[in-house]
């Protein structure tokens, strides 16, 4: 019987079930209206609910937690009896609220729902599930791990939040993969199914791995995407990870004629950049905050290496990695210093609950305590002195498993997948070419579907060979002010758009009407058009072209690669960088000629002149602000 059918029967019960049919205390399902918006077309098919689980599975008297889940029904008339449970990553990422509607409409998820119900679970501490860790911790992590002042501020916040949670009966030391894995068994029993399939993404695979260890009889098959393996340090090993990934990136670039021609010395450039950062680290100014009390972060070879490696997370960022390496090798750190705030925004995990994230890392990763020294200061304040007590031994299991990992993944690199597979007797590892940590495609969903249908057979992975190479960005005209304009527009769109819109309105009238009014419609026959009006028209037209050109260059650059606008403009758009100087000369000339010219004329003509001059000066002011400030 499908999960949706079971849920429907539970919801339709007029009274309490007979005693012999009552589920165990820790397997109660409560159907509810979802606390998020669903399109009308999906409201009758999707089921949302909570499952009650013990906060401490080893203490029957402990308080209970409510975990949120949603069920997307199978498309088959008679679904298979073993649903797929999706476990999100992070740890601390919410899946049920933000993703349920999108998953219901997704063609990729539809492939997985052909024969099985698809269940999205928010594990304990994630999203809509309890306990709620303190929201003031979100976004509180120091920008770098080597700022004692930032660490002191964070530890103070962690201690205060922990005290508040303990007063409410919530215990951060019980946010770990062991407890979360046992929650899955409670959900399975509550749904009334014998076995389930698990789909774990990123850190969700760590919970799936623990479920394979703790409740093997309840697991039919497991797919792990970008896995975090138990028993292997996965925090603080960024330097080792980056070295292997850049070797793979350079090999891929050399396979493409366009990339190898543009970056013939990519490996040598990378080595020179690292040597320069090691020899002469620089301070990068950032807004002063609790995350960076000093108002700067140190860009040394370690920080630069980790930052460049993070570009490989997604294809859209990886496409700019060779360009970034070559730019630094040729022009120094100035381009990176200027775009540091934008890069920090790109890498920020704003959708992850920091308290949950830290608790899982502290409790699940005793082997990372030596490689990630910041854990030794944060964990005692957050989860108490018992941190690192959860099982950290490598996984040993014989459950059919499919492990998928991007060949350029900087967060869960291929060696993690190989380490995990070494303890699994029935595991297959697939490296996804040209991809990092963020990837999904119909090809990969078909492979997952086929594996869940026949986990004892090797899935057909031929479609991976058709994955298109990364479209590496090739050329850019460096411009610090373009990069600053883009970063400020990202941070405050209205503040950036308002003066530009005002300039456009000021410039449209003189550009369109001044030639007619001043140059063609003179009252006195045979009188030559005043030079001041001509100069004003040229300045206004140039300013308007300049604004439109900047906008077009930014859009085209962003389509080439998201990092291009932060560095400058695409090749062929150098005139955008030169045009402000032309505008400056024209505006000065127009103001001088207008002041000496004939002041006679109607008020509308005077307004056209003044609007053209004011608009041109405003455009120059915007340019100067982004260039000099």
């Amino acid at each position: 019987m499908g999960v949706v059918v079971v849920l429907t029967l539970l919801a339709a019960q007029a009274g309490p079930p007979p005693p012999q049919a009552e589920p165990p205390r820790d397997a109660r399902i409560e159907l509810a209206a979802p606390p998020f918006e669903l399109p009308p077309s999906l409201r009758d098919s999707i089921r949302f609910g909570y499952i009650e689980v013990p906060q401490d599975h080893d203490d029957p008297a402990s308080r209970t937690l409510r975990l949120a889940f949603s069920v997307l029904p199978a498309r088959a008339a008679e679904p298979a009896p073993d649903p797929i449970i999706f476990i999100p990553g992070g740890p601390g990422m919410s899946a049920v609220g933000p993703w349920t509607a999108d998953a219901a409409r997704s063609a990729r998820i539809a492939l997985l729902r052909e024969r099985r119900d698809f269940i999205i679970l928010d594990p304990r501490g994630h999203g809509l599930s309890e306990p709620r860790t303190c929201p003031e911790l979100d976004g509180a992590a120091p920008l770098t791990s080597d700022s004692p002042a930032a660490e002191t501020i964070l530890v103070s916040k962690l201690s205060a939040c922990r005290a508040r949670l303990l007063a409410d009966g919530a215990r951060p030391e019980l946010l770990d993969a062991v407890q979360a894995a046992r929650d899955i068994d409670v959900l399975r029993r509550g749904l009334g199914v014998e076995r389930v399939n698990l789909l774990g993404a990123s850190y969700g695979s760590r919970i799936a791995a623990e479920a394979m260890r703790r409740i093997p009889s309840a697991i039919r098959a497991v797919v792990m995407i970008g896995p975090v393996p138990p028993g292997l340090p996965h925090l603080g090993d960024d330097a080792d990870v980056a070295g292997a990934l850049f070797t793979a990136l350079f090999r891929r670039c050399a396979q493409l004629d366009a990339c190898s021609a543009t970056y013939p010395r990519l490996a040598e450039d990378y080595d020179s950049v690292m040597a320069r950062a090691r020899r002469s680290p620089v301070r990068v100014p950032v807004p002063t905050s609790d995350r960076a009390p000093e108002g700067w972060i140190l860009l040394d070879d370690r920080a630069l290496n980790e930052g460049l490696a993070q570009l490989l997370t997604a294809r859209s960022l990886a496409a700019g990695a060779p360009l970034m390496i070559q730019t630094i090798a040729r022009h120094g750190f100035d381009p990176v210093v200027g775009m540091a705030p934008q890069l920090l925004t790109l890498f920020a995990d704003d959708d992850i609950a920091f308290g949950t994230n830290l608790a899982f890392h502290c409790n699940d990763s005793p082997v990372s305590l030596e490689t990630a020294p910041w854990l030794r200061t944060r964990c005692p304040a957050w989860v108490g002195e018992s941190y690192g007590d959860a099982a950290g031994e490598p996984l040993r299991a014989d459950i059919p498993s499919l492990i998928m990992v991007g060949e350029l993944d900087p967060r869960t690199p291929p060696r993690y997948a190989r380490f995990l597979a070494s303890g699994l007797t029935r595991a297959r590892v697939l490296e996804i070419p040209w991809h990092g940590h963020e990837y999904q495609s119909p090809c990969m969903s078909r492979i997952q579907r086929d594996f869940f249908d026949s986990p004892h057979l090797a899935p057909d992975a031929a479609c991976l060979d058709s994955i298109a190479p990364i479209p590496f960005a090739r050329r850019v005209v460096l411009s610090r002010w373009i990069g600053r304009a883009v970063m400020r527009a990202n941070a405050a769109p209205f503040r950036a758009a308002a003066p530009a819109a005002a300039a456009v309105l000021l410039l449209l009238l003189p550009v369109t009407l001044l030639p007619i009014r001043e140059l063609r419609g003179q009252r006195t026959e045979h009188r030559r058009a005043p030079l001041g009006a001509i100069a004003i028209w040229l300045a206004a037209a140039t300013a308007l072209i300049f604004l439109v050109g900047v906008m077009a260059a930014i859009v085209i650059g962003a389509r080439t690669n998201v990092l291009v606008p932060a560095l400058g403009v695409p090749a062929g758009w150098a005139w955008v960088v030169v045009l402000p100087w032309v505008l400056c000369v024209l505006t000065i000339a127009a103001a001088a000629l207008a002041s000496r010219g004939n002041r006679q004329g109607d008020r509308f003509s005077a307004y056209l002149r003044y609007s053209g001059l004011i608009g041109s000066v405003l455009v120059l002011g915007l340019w100067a602000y982004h260039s000099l400030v």
Side-chain angles (χ1 to χ4, degrees), residues 44 69 161 313 317 324 407 423 448 494 506:
D44 293 336
F69 69 93
C161 178
T313 300
L317 294 174
M324 182 67 72
E407 66 170 350
Q448 295 164 15
F494 178 78
L506 284 170

Side-chain angles (χ1 to χ4, degrees), residues 1-13 17 21 23 27-31 45 47-48 51 69 71 73-74 77 79-83 117 119 186-196:
M1 181 181 294
V3 173
V4 171
V5 176
V6 173
L7 290 174
T8 303
L9 292 176
L10 286 173
Q13 290 174 341
R28 293 184 183 276
I29 281 182
E30 172 193 347
L31 294 178
S45 58
R47 296 292 183 268
F48 172 82
I51 180 76
F69 69 93
V71 180
D82 42 275
D117 294 336
I119 301 172
V186 176
L187 176 61
R188 174 193 65 82
R189 286 183 286 159
L191 295 172
V193 297
E194 182 178 352
R195 293 193 300 172
V196 294

Side-chain angles (χ1 to χ4, degrees), residues 427-447:
R428 299 178 178 86
V429 177
L430 293 180
E431 286 194 21
I432 312 303
W434 303 103
H435 277 275
H437 192 65
E438 298 176 5
Y439 54 88
Q440 271 299 339
S441 70
C443 166
M444 286 170 260
S445 293
R446 285 194 296 271
I447 293 173

Side-chain angles (χ1 to χ4, degrees), residues 355-413:
T356 298
N357 182 277
L358 180 60
F360 272 85
H361 283 312
C362 291
N363 295 322
D364 291 344
S365 305
V367 291
S368 289
L369 293 176
E370 297 304 318
T371 57
W374 62 89
L375 289 179
R376 293 196 293 271
T377 60
R378 300 175 189 178
C379 293
W382 184 226
V383 300
E385 295 301 329
S386 64
Y387 67 93
D389 283 350
E393 295 296 320
L395 177 64
R396 301 285 183 264
D398 63 355
I399 298 172
S401 308
L402 176 64
I403 303 173
M404 310 182 81
V405 61
E407 66 170 350
L408 301 175
D409 189 340
R411 298 184 180 178
T412 56

Side-chain angles (χ1 to χ4, degrees), residues 168-393:
D168 292 337
R171 296 169 58 191
E173 62 268 27
L174 294 174
L175 291 174
D176 61 45
V178 175
Q179 298 285 346
R182 296 172 71 175
D183 292 341
I184 291 174
D185 196 40
V186 176
L187 176 61
R188 174 193 65 82
R189 286 183 286 159
L191 295 172
V193 297
E194 182 178 352
R195 293 193 300 172
V196 294
N197 302 283
L198 300 181
L199 175 58
S202 192
Y203 204 90
S205 63
R206 176 69 176 86
I207 298 174
E210 208 57 49
M212 295 170 71
R213 192 197 323 256
R214 304 285 167 170
I215 52 170
S217 62
I219 310 299
R220 174 178 174 269
V222 179
V223 171
M224 290 178 272
I225 305 172
V228 176
L232 181 71
H234 65 279
L235 296 173
D237 62 343
D238 307 85
D240 295 338
V241 169
L245 294 182
F246 280 121
T247 299
L249 176 71
F250 302 156
R251 184 185 70 249
R252 283 298 194 184
C253 180
Q255 294 173 357
L256 303 176
D257 293 340
C259 187
S260 59
T262 306
Y263 309 106
R265 301 181 67 257
L266 190 55
E268 292 84 350
D269 286 345
Y270 171 78
D271 291 338
S272 69
V273 165
M274 290 300 115
R276 180 183 300 181
R278 189 179 310 113
R279 185 173 58 252
S280 304
V282 297
R283 290 185 176 184
V284 178
V286 296
T288 301
S289 65
D290 288 348
R291 305 180 67 189
E294 302 87 353
W296 52 267
I297 57 176
L298 186 66
L299 184 64
D300 56 11
D301 58 322
R302 179 190 59 81
L304 182 61
N305 201 30
E306 293 175 11
L308 289 173
Q310 289 303 310
L311 294 177
L312 307 182
T313 300
R315 281 169 60 97
S316 60
L317 294 174
L323 174 64
M324 182 67 72
I325 292 170
Q326 186 186 78
T327 299
I328 300 173
R330 293 183 178 181
H331 303 279
F333 293 129
D334 282 349
V336 177
V337 170
M339 66 187 298
Q342 186 189 39
L343 285 178
L344 292 172
T345 301
L346 287 174
F347 300 149
D349 292 322
D350 295 331
D351 54 350
I352 290 178
F354 178 77
T356 298
N357 182 277
L358 180 60
F360 272 85
H361 283 312
C362 291
N363 295 322
D364 291 344
S365 305
V367 291
S368 289
L369 293 176
E370 297 304 318
T371 57
W374 62 89
L375 289 179
R376 293 196 293 271
T377 60
R378 300 175 189 178
C379 293
W382 184 226
V383 300
E385 295 301 329
S386 64
Y387 67 93
D389 283 350
E393 295 296 320

Side-chain angles (χ1 to χ4, degrees), residues 447-470:
I447 293 173
Q448 295 164 15
R449 176 202 61 190
D450 294 345
F451 172 76
F452 282 130
D453 286 345
S454 304
H456 58 286
L457 299 177
D460 182 4
C463 62
L464 294 180
D465 297 332
S466 63
I467 293 178
I470 293 174

